[in-house]
């Protein structure tokens, strides 16, 4: 090693030798002693130290003058306590993409949710990433997504709030959709990919009828989500019937483009026997009274902050012919939580609609089958602004993603994001159930309070708890630290992967490795605005 490499290795070993991880800190302390002794020997001899068949004749050189047979001990786990379950997981199978190195012994760490699912190492291809901000959650997700793209899967970043994945998507020749004021518009009534699929299966009457009903259901759900977010209350049953009947009337109109919200409002304002029957009235004046709330809600969408986002033709429909798609919602004002939640939920809806349209075509032999990776980042924003809709939607997705043909990744900061969901114990129980149904759990640096919150949902060994706490504690430097120096965060890029259903089984601690090429492209530079 070069002198700089020796200094770097010595610095790492010194830091780890002072850690609170039992057994391993002693091992690292011995390695530090051996490194220092070897360096001193080289300096004294003016070159490489002599290596003999039984080791090196230096402190820590492993010198053993006789080959001794090690004793073998056999017994039950009750008799030979401490050997099982292991306090920390060992290596990982070489299955999936190269993500990084094992934190303790440095061997390569490989992982991919779909590959592990196909090998029966996991019961579902779902994963969640938890950890403090600034410690590399998005970098880990980008490494996972890069491998998925290399395997021919289509990656969709469904709600990129910062954005963290835009640069990567552009680099890989993907599509960036940026809903926001003066940017992309999303038509709530546009069937999108499902509409294209509907035209391509006109020769299959049964499948055509089923898909037509699915399009109507999804369109009604889009309207329901946005209206209920505006109202902060639910639609009444007859209001849903009214919207459904109005959508049927819109389908009978001859038009070159899909209808928009203004067209829907015009149909409801005009009324007619079908719409009056939907709300169970016989007089026009009574109809106007019963539909006033719906008309006001639609008017609020058109003339309010949502108008420029949802009342117009879709400008950037999802294109599944590219390797990855980033729905960048960073242009939606963060201080308008309702608006951002609406855009995020509709983006999730459109992503699943596009996937469903592709599956319809592939099931009928029109397209090749493709597996999709859906990544939902900054989940806390969705849970905070729209707990009822977010919980119901994600609850359904995490239960059915195997049959939907998707690999699902959820990213947030804390278990508290799920436990403080509004709506009572029922919503909170369903929300924490997301974590339990995510078969792969990546836990980054967290505090002791967060570890306590996780108990009962994710359990750790004593050694794993020591690791997580140590990663989150970066010591302050001394007086030798001057302006221009950069302190390395102790747990930057460090995670523990838990895949076992057993409470006592250990996870795999690892550190994410970022190839030099990726660093040079800038896809991992998420703090550009704070740089000098």
């Amino acid at each position: 090693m070069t002198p700089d490499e020796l200094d770097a290795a010595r610095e790492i070993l010194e830091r780890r030798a002072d850690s609170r991880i039992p057994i391993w800190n002693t091992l690292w302390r011995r390695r530090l002693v051996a490194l220092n002794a070897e360096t001193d020997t080289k300096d004294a001899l003016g070159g490489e130290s002599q290596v003999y068949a039984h080791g090196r004749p230096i402190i820590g050189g492993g010198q053993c003058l006789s080959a001794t047979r090690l004793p073998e001990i056999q017994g039950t786990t009750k008799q030979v306590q401490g050997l099982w379950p292991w306090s920390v997981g060992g290596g990982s199978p070489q299955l999936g993409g190269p993500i990084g190195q094992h934190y303790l012994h440095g061997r390569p760490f490989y992982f991919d949710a779909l590959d592990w699912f196909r090998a029966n190492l996991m019961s579902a291809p779902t994963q969640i990433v938890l950890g403090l901000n600034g410690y590399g959650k998005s970098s880990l997700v980008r490494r996972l997504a890069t491998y998925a793209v290399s395997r021919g899967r289509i990656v969709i970043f469904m709600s990129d709030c910062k954005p963290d994945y835009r640069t990567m998507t552009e680099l890989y020749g993907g599509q960036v959709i940026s809903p926001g004021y003066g940017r992309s518009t999303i038509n709530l009534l546009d069937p999108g990919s499902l509409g294209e699929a509907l035209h391509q299966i006109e020769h299959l009457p049964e499948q055509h009828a089923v898909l037509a009903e699915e399009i109507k259901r999804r369109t009604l759900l889009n309207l329901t989500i946005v209206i209920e977010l505006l109202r902060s209350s639910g639609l009444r049953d007859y209001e849903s019937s009214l919207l459904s009947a109005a959508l049927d009337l819109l389908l009978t109109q001859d038009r070159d483009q899909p209808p928009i919200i203004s067209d829907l409002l015009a149909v409801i304002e005009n009324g007619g026997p079908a719409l009056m029957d939907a709300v169970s009235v016989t007089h026009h004046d009574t109809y106007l009274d019963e539909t006033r709330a719906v008309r006001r809600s639609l008017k609020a969408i058109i003339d309010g902050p949502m108008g420029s986002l949802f009342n117009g033709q879709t400008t950037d429909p999802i294109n599944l012919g590219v390797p990855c798609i980033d729905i960048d919602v960073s242009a939606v004002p963060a201080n308008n939580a309702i608006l951002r939640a609406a855009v995020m939920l509709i983006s999730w809806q459109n992503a699943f609609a596009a996937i469903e349209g592709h599956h319809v075509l592939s099931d009928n032999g029109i397209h090749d089958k493709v597996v999709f990776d859906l990544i939902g980042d900054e989940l806390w924003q969705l849970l905070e602004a729209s707990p009822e809709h977010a919980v119901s939607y994600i609850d359904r997705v995490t239960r059915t993603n195997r049959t939907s043909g998707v690999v699902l990744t959820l990213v947030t900061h804390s278990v508290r994001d799920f436990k403080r969901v509004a709506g009572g114990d029922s919503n909170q129980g369903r929300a924490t159930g997301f974590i339990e149904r995510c078969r792969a759990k990546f836990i980054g640096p967290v505090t002791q309070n967060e570890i306590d919150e996780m108990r009962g949902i994710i359990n750790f060994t004593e050694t794993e708890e020591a690791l997580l706490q140590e990663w989150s504690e970066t010591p302050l430097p001394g007086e030798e630290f001057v302006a221009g120096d950069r302190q390395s965060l102790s747990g930057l890029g460090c995670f523990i992967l838990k895949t076992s259903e057993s409470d006592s089984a250990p996870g795999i601690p690892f550190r994410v490795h970022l190839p030099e090429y990726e660093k040079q492209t800038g896809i991992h530079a998420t703090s550009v605005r704070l740089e000098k």
Side-chain angles (χ1 to χ4, degrees):
M1 291 191 290
T2 65
D4 291 340
E5 290 174 338
L6 279 173
D7 292 340
R10 187 178 288 108
E11 181 181 348
I12 293 173
L13 288 173
E14 287 174 349
R15 185 169 63 248
R16 292 191 173 185
D18 294 333
S19 71
R20 293 174 294 183
I21 306 172
I23 302 176
W24 285 94
N25 53 6
T26 303
L27 175 62
W28 286 323
R29 196 173 297 117
R30 292 175 60 186
R31 288 183 177 176
L32 177 62
V33 171
L35 179 64
N36 291 332
E38 181 178 359
T39 305
D40 295 342
T41 303
K42 288 181 182 179
D43 294 339
L45 299 178
E48 293 289 337
S49 60
Q50 183 67 39
V51 180
Y52 298 98
H54 299 286
R56 291 177 173 175
I58 59 174
I59 299 175
Q63 188 177 32
C64 181
L65 300 181
S66 62
T68 305
R69 180 182 175 85
L70 297 177
E72 295 183 8
I73 302 174
Q74 184 175 1
T76 66
T77 54
K78 183 175 181 62
Q79 294 170 318
V80 191
Q81 296 182 14
L83 298 183
W84 176 260
W86 314 118
S87 59
V88 175
S92 64
Q94 295 187 14
L95 189 63
I99 306 300
Q101 296 91 28
H102 195 288
Y103 184 78
L104 298 178
H105 51 60
R107 296 190 184 99
F109 168 69
Y110 299 83
F111 182 81
D112 177 68
L114 183 60
D115 287 349
W116 283 42
F117 168 70
R118 287 173 172 171
N120 289 331
L121 299 178
M122 292 165 50
S123 58
T126 53
Q127 52 196 355
I128 187 168
V129 182
L130 296 167
L132 297 172
N133 60 317
Y135 279 90
K137 294 192 302 296
S138 59
S139 293
L140 169 61
V141 172
R142 279 187 288 267
R143 293 296 301 142
L144 296 170
T146 297
Y147 178 75
V149 170
S150 73
R151 301 296 293 174
R153 309 206 300 261
I154 298 177
V155 178
I156 303 179
F157 302 102
M158 295 184 292
S159 49
D160 191 2
C161 298
K162 295 182 180 178
D164 281 332
Y165 311 103
R166 184 184 184 113
T167 304
M168 169 185 170
T169 302
E170 293 172 339
L171 179 68
Y172 292 171
Q175 178 191 23
V176 176
I177 301 173
S178 302
Y181 297 133
R183 299 192 181 188
S184 298
T185 302
I186 303 174
N187 182 6
L188 297 180
L189 309 185
D190 187 354
S193 298
L194 284 176
E196 296 176 8
L198 188 67
H199 291 306
Q200 296 188 51
I201 60 170
E202 289 179 344
H203 61 289
L204 303 170
E206 183 178 349
Q207 291 88 331
H208 187 275
V210 171
L211 184 57
E213 283 299 317
E214 175 66 14
I215 289 175
K216 178 182 174 181
R217 185 192 68 81
R218 285 186 176 273
T219 304
L220 184 59
L221 182 57
N222 283 348
L223 289 169
T224 302
I225 288 173
V226 175
I227 292 174
E228 289 185 347
L229 281 172
L230 275 175
R231 291 183 177 181
S232 298
S233 62
L235 273 177
R236 296 184 177 181
D237 51 0
Y238 67 86
E239 291 177 325
S240 295
S241 300
L242 174 67
L243 291 173
S244 179
L247 290 174
D248 289 337
L249 287 178
L250 284 174
L251 290 176
T252 63
Q253 299 178 356
D254 185 20
R255 57 177 73 245
D256 296 330
Q257 292 182 311
I260 60 175
I261 302 296
S262 297
D263 299 323
L264 178 65
L265 177 60
V267 167
I268 294 176
E269 287 177 339
N270 291 335
L275 299 185
M276 292 175 66
D277 183 62
V279 294
S280 300
V281 297
T282 55
H283 298 288
H284 186 67
D285 291 342
T286 310
Y287 169 79
L288 292 178
D289 290 337
E290 294 293 338
T291 61
R292 181 176 290 111
V294 171
R295 289 184 283 114
R296 283 176 172 172
S297 296
L298 293 176
K299 191 72 172 173
I301 295 176
I302 296 169
D303 297 334
M306 294 185 178
S308 61
L309 290 176
F310 295 133
N311 186 42
Q313 296 299 333
T314 300
T315 52
D316 294 311
I318 292 178
N319 174 21
L320 296 183
V322 296
C324 52
I325 301 158
D326 179 41
I327 304 177
D328 175 8
V329 299
S330 61
V332 182
N335 58 1
N336 192 333
I338 299 299
L339 179 60
R340 178 166 279 203
V343 173
M344 292 174 71
L345 279 169
I346 297 302
S347 298
W348 283 50
Q349 272 279 94
N350 289 346
F352 274 96
I355 292 171
E356 181 63 26
H358 191 281
H359 287 335
V360 168
L361 296 178
S362 63
D363 291 343
N364 290 282
I366 300 174
H367 276 337
D368 294 333
K369 290 186 178 181
V370 176
V371 176
F372 297 86
D373 282 61
L374 298 185
I375 298 172
D377 201 354
E378 299 295 334
L379 199 61
W380 65 271
Q381 295 193 30
L382 204 55
L383 293 170
E384 185 178 85
S386 178
E388 188 64 40
H389 291 98
V391 168
S392 298
Y393 198 78
I394 302 171
D395 185 49
R396 184 170 64 254
V397 171
T398 54
R399 292 179 188 273
T400 62
N401 71 302
R402 288 183 301 169
T403 56
S404 302
V406 299
V407 178
L408 181 65
T409 304
L410 302 176
V411 187
T412 192
H413 295 117
S414 169
V415 170
R416 292 192 187 94
D417 298 338
F418 300 92
K419 289 190 172 182
R420 65 188 178 196
V421 168
D425 294 339
S426 175
N427 268 356
Q428 292 170 5
R430 292 164 67 193
T432 53
F434 302 160
I435 306 176
E436 295 173 347
R437 287 194 295 279
C438 287
R439 293 300 183 252
K441 305 170 184 69
F442 293 94
I443 314 301
V446 291
T447 62
Q448 181 61 51
N449 289 337
E450 179 66 13
I451 293 175
D452 294 338
E453 291 283 346
M454 291 183 186
R455 297 191 197 282
I457 304 174
I458 308 173
N459 293 307
F460 302 99
T461 65
E462 181 180 346
T463 302
E464 288 173 341
E465 289 192 14
L467 270 176
L468 292 172
Q469 292 182 61
E470 182 173 296
W471 289 343
S472 65
E473 300 171 357
T474 300
L476 288 175
E479 296 179 353
E480 68 279 2
F481 193 85
V482 296
D485 292 346
R486 294 177 66 91
Q487 171 78 316
S488 297
L489 295 175
S490 300
L492 184 63
C494 294
F495 295 87
I496 292 177
L497 170 64
K498 306 282 282 190
T499 59
S500 174
E501 308 298 331
S502 171
D503 291 341
S504 59
I508 302 173
F510 69 95
R511 186 189 292 272
V512 175
H513 172 72
L514 302 181
E516 285 300 322
Y517 169 74
E518 287 189 5
K519 294 180 183 179
Q520 294 169 6
T521 60
I523 65 175
H524 297 291
T526 56
S527 304
V528 175
R529 291 184 175 178
L530 294 177
E531 300 292 339
K532 290 184 179 180

